[in-house]
Amino acid sequence: MSHLLSIEPLTKEAFAPFGSVIEADPASARLINGGNTERFHALAEADVVGEGARVIINIFRGQPRSFPYSIAMMERHPFGSQSFSPLHDRLWLAVVAEDEGGRPGRPRVFLAGGRQGVNYGRNVWHHPLMTVDAASDFLVVDRGGPGNNLEEFFYEEPFVILDPFSKESTR
Ligand SMILES: NC(=O)N[C@@H](O)C(=O)O
Ligand code: NI
Protein backbone atom coordinates (compact mmCIF):
# COMPACT_ATOMS: atom_id res chain seq x y z
CA MET A 1 0.00 0.00 0.00
CA SER A 2 1.41 3.36 -1.03
CA HIS A 3 1.91 5.90 1.71
CA LEU A 4 1.62 8.72 -0.83
CA LEU A 5 -1.66 10.51 -0.22
CA SER A 6 -3.66 12.09 -3.02
CA ILE A 7 -5.49 15.37 -2.48
CA GLU A 8 -9.19 15.63 -3.17
CA PRO A 9 -11.43 18.70 -3.42
CA LEU A 10 -13.40 19.59 -0.29
CA THR A 11 -17.10 19.04 -0.78
CA LYS A 12 -19.92 18.78 1.75
CA GLU A 13 -20.74 15.30 0.53
CA ALA A 14 -17.21 13.89 0.61
CA PHE A 15 -16.48 15.44 4.01
CA ALA A 16 -19.78 14.33 5.62
CA PRO A 17 -18.31 11.33 7.53
CA PHE A 18 -15.93 13.72 9.30
CA GLY A 19 -18.04 16.82 9.91
CA SER A 20 -19.41 19.84 8.10
CA VAL A 21 -18.12 22.26 5.50
CA ILE A 22 -18.56 25.91 6.47
CA GLU A 23 -19.15 27.93 3.30
CA ALA A 24 -21.72 30.31 1.83
CA ASP A 25 -23.96 27.54 0.54
CA PRO A 26 -26.93 29.06 -1.35
CA ALA A 27 -29.11 26.21 -0.08
CA SER A 28 -28.75 27.56 3.46
CA ALA A 29 -29.17 31.24 2.58
CA ARG A 30 -31.96 33.42 3.96
CA LEU A 31 -32.38 37.18 3.68
CA ILE A 32 -32.34 39.13 6.97
CA ASN A 33 -31.96 42.76 8.08
CA GLY A 34 -34.63 43.96 5.71
CA GLY A 35 -32.92 42.35 2.74
CA ASN A 36 -29.54 43.92 3.42
CA THR A 37 -27.87 40.73 4.59
CA GLU A 38 -27.78 37.09 3.54
CA ARG A 39 -27.60 34.67 6.47
CA PHE A 40 -26.14 31.28 5.63
CA HIS A 41 -27.87 29.53 8.45
CA ALA A 42 -26.69 26.70 10.72
CA LEU A 43 -23.81 25.49 8.58
CA ALA A 44 -22.40 23.52 11.50
CA GLU A 45 -22.98 22.96 15.18
CA ALA A 46 -20.50 23.19 18.03
CA ASP A 47 -20.71 20.01 20.10
CA VAL A 48 -19.14 20.20 23.56
CA VAL A 49 -19.62 17.73 26.41
CA GLY A 50 -18.51 17.26 29.99
CA GLU A 51 -18.82 19.13 33.26
CA GLY A 52 -17.91 22.79 32.81
CA ALA A 53 -17.65 22.54 29.02
CA ARG A 54 -17.78 25.86 27.19
CA VAL A 55 -17.83 26.83 23.52
CA ILE A 56 -14.89 29.15 22.93
CA ILE A 57 -13.86 31.23 19.92
CA ASN A 58 -10.16 31.53 19.07
CA ILE A 59 -7.83 32.63 16.29
CA PHE A 60 -5.11 30.20 15.19
CA ARG A 61 -2.22 31.67 13.19
CA GLY A 62 -0.75 28.73 11.28
CA GLN A 63 2.69 28.85 9.71
CA PRO A 64 2.87 27.25 6.24
CA ARG A 65 3.82 23.59 6.10
CA SER A 66 6.66 22.60 3.78
CA PHE A 67 6.21 19.87 1.20
CA PRO A 68 6.60 16.98 0.71
CA TYR A 69 4.98 16.78 4.14
CA SER A 70 4.92 13.71 6.38
CA ILE A 71 1.67 12.93 8.14
CA ALA A 72 3.18 11.13 11.12
CA MET A 73 0.35 11.70 13.59
CA MET A 74 -3.32 12.45 13.94
CA GLU A 75 -5.30 13.79 16.87
CA ARG A 76 -8.86 14.00 18.10
CA HIS A 77 -10.82 15.87 20.75
CA PRO A 78 -13.14 13.55 22.68
CA PHE A 79 -15.00 16.34 24.45
CA GLY A 80 -15.71 18.71 21.60
CA SER A 81 -15.96 19.52 17.93
CA GLN A 82 -13.43 21.94 16.40
CA SER A 83 -14.04 24.28 13.48
CA PHE A 84 -11.53 26.13 11.31
CA SER A 85 -12.63 29.03 9.12
CA PRO A 86 -9.93 30.85 7.10
CA LEU A 87 -9.60 34.59 7.66
CA HIS A 88 -7.37 34.96 4.61
CA ASP A 89 -8.55 33.88 1.19
CA ARG A 90 -5.91 31.19 0.81
CA LEU A 91 -6.00 27.46 0.11
CA TRP A 92 -5.41 25.12 3.03
CA LEU A 93 -5.57 21.40 3.77
CA ALA A 94 -7.98 19.52 6.01
CA VAL A 95 -6.64 16.05 6.80
CA VAL A 96 -8.95 13.52 8.45
CA ALA A 97 -9.28 9.77 8.98
CA GLU A 98 -11.96 7.28 9.90
CA ASP A 99 -11.63 5.61 13.30
CA GLU A 100 -10.56 1.97 13.04
CA GLY A 101 -10.83 0.31 16.43
CA GLY A 102 -9.59 3.32 18.34
CA ARG A 103 -6.86 4.35 15.91
CA PRO A 104 -7.01 6.48 12.74
CA GLY A 105 -7.13 4.68 9.41
CA ARG A 106 -5.51 5.98 6.21
CA PRO A 107 -5.69 9.78 6.12
CA ARG A 108 -7.78 11.60 3.55
CA VAL A 109 -6.52 14.98 2.39
CA PHE A 110 -9.00 17.65 1.34
CA LEU A 111 -7.93 20.82 -0.47
CA ALA A 112 -10.03 23.64 1.01
CA GLY A 113 -10.61 26.94 -0.74
CA GLY A 114 -9.94 30.26 0.97
CA ARG A 115 -13.62 30.67 1.72
CA GLN A 116 -14.20 27.14 2.92
CA GLY A 117 -14.02 26.16 6.57
CA VAL A 118 -14.67 22.85 8.24
CA ASN A 119 -16.11 21.70 11.52
CA TYR A 120 -14.44 18.48 12.68
CA GLY A 121 -17.02 16.47 14.55
CA ARG A 122 -16.36 15.59 18.17
CA ASN A 123 -13.78 12.77 18.42
CA VAL A 124 -13.00 12.83 14.69
CA TRP A 125 -9.39 12.09 13.80
CA HIS A 126 -7.67 15.01 12.09
CA HIS A 127 -4.22 16.47 11.59
CA PRO A 128 -3.40 19.80 13.29
CA LEU A 129 -3.93 22.90 11.20
CA MET A 130 -2.21 22.80 7.81
CA THR A 131 -1.77 26.11 6.05
CA VAL A 132 -0.02 25.94 2.69
CA ASP A 133 1.74 28.95 1.24
CA ALA A 134 1.77 31.70 3.87
CA ALA A 135 1.08 32.22 7.54
CA SER A 136 -2.69 32.35 7.81
CA ASP A 137 -5.22 33.11 10.51
CA PHE A 138 -8.24 30.92 11.15
CA LEU A 139 -11.26 31.53 13.34
CA VAL A 140 -11.51 28.41 15.49
CA VAL A 141 -14.57 27.42 17.50
CA ASP A 142 -13.92 24.56 19.89
CA ARG A 143 -14.29 23.42 23.50
CA GLY A 144 -12.90 25.00 26.60
CA GLY A 145 -13.17 23.51 30.05
CA PRO A 146 -11.63 20.90 32.32
CA GLY A 147 -10.34 17.52 31.25
CA ASN A 148 -7.86 16.35 28.65
CA ASN A 149 -9.48 17.10 25.31
CA LEU A 150 -6.58 15.92 23.18
CA GLU A 151 -5.81 12.36 22.09
CA GLU A 152 -2.87 11.84 19.72
CA PHE A 153 -1.89 8.83 17.62
CA PHE A 154 1.45 8.29 15.86
CA TYR A 155 1.52 6.08 12.77
CA GLU A 156 4.13 3.34 12.56
CA GLU A 157 5.01 4.65 9.07
CA PRO A 158 4.19 8.23 8.05
CA PHE A 159 2.07 9.09 5.04
CA VAL A 160 3.29 11.71 2.58
CA ILE A 161 1.57 14.67 0.94
CA LEU A 162 3.21 16.23 -2.10
CA ASP A 163 3.02 19.96 -2.76
CA PRO A 164 -0.67 20.75 -3.35
CA PHE A 165 0.34 23.08 -6.16
CA SER A 166 2.07 20.26 -8.03
CA LYS A 167 -0.04 18.35 -10.52
CA GLU A 168 1.03 14.94 -9.18
CA SER A 169 -0.73 15.53 -5.87
CA THR A 170 -4.37 15.64 -6.96
CA ARG A 171 -6.59 12.81 -8.11
N1 LIG B 1 -3.99 21.86 19.84
C1 LIG B 1 -4.80 22.66 19.19
O1 LIG B 1 -5.50 23.45 19.79
N2 LIG B 1 -4.82 22.57 17.81
C2 LIG B 1 -5.25 21.35 17.21
O2 LIG B 1 -6.38 20.88 17.92
C3 LIG B 1 -5.58 21.51 15.76
O3 LIG B 1 -6.46 20.77 15.28
O4 LIG B 1 -4.91 22.37 15.11
NI1 NI C 1 -7.51 19.70 16.67
Side-chain angles (χ1 to χ4, degrees):
M1 170 187 73
S2 164
H3 278 68
L4 184 59
L5 298 174
S6 60
I7 300 178
E8 49 190 304
L10 178 64
T11 66
K12 187 164 60 171
E13 297 73 22
F15 196 76
F18 308 105
S20 309
V21 175
I22 300 171
E23 60 184 342
D25 176 2
S28 67
R30 57 183 67 170
L31 275 184
I32 59 173
N33 301 343
N36 168 271
T37 305
E38 286 181 282
R39 175 186 173 121
F40 298 93
H41 182 69
L43 300 171
E45 289 192 21
D47 172 18
V48 296
V49 298
E51 183 68 30
R54 297 175 297 133
V55 175
I56 57 176
I57 301 175
N58 321 270
I59 286 179
F60 283 22
R61 178 164 295 163
Q63 296 304 313
R65 305 288 185 171
S66 54
F67 294 87
Y69 183 82
S70 287
I71 298 284
M73 63 80 66
M74 299 285 271
E75 64 170 38
R76 62 182 176 178
H77 308 297
F79 299 136
S81 56
Q82 186 174 49
S83 76
F84 289 84
S85 297
L87 298 178
H88 299 269
D89 193 348
R90 294 189 191 121
L91 298 176
W92 63 288
L93 296 178
V95 182
V96 289
E98 302 268 9
D99 183 60
E100 294 179 356
R103 55 164 289 165
R106 181 183 178 86
R108 285 180 67 181
V109 184
F110 291 95
L111 181 62
R115 294 172 184 259
Q116 288 186 300
V118 297
N119 187 46
Y120 298 126
R122 182 164 61 84
N123 221 28
V124 168
W125 291 109
H126 60 280
H127 188 276
L129 178 58
M130 289 195 74
T131 60
V132 176
D133 57 358
S136 301
D137 291 357
F138 288 73
L139 190 72
V140 175
V141 179
D142 61 6
R143 181 213 188 251
N148 177 14
N149 191 31
L150 175 62
E151 179 183 356
E152 295 178 314
F153 179 89
F154 292 82
Y155 288 111
E156 295 75 15
E157 288 180 37
F159 294 87
V160 175
I161 305 175
L162 297 178
D163 185 334
F165 295 111
S166 70
K167 60 182 180 307
E168 307 89 61
S169 64
T170 51
R171 283 187 177 199

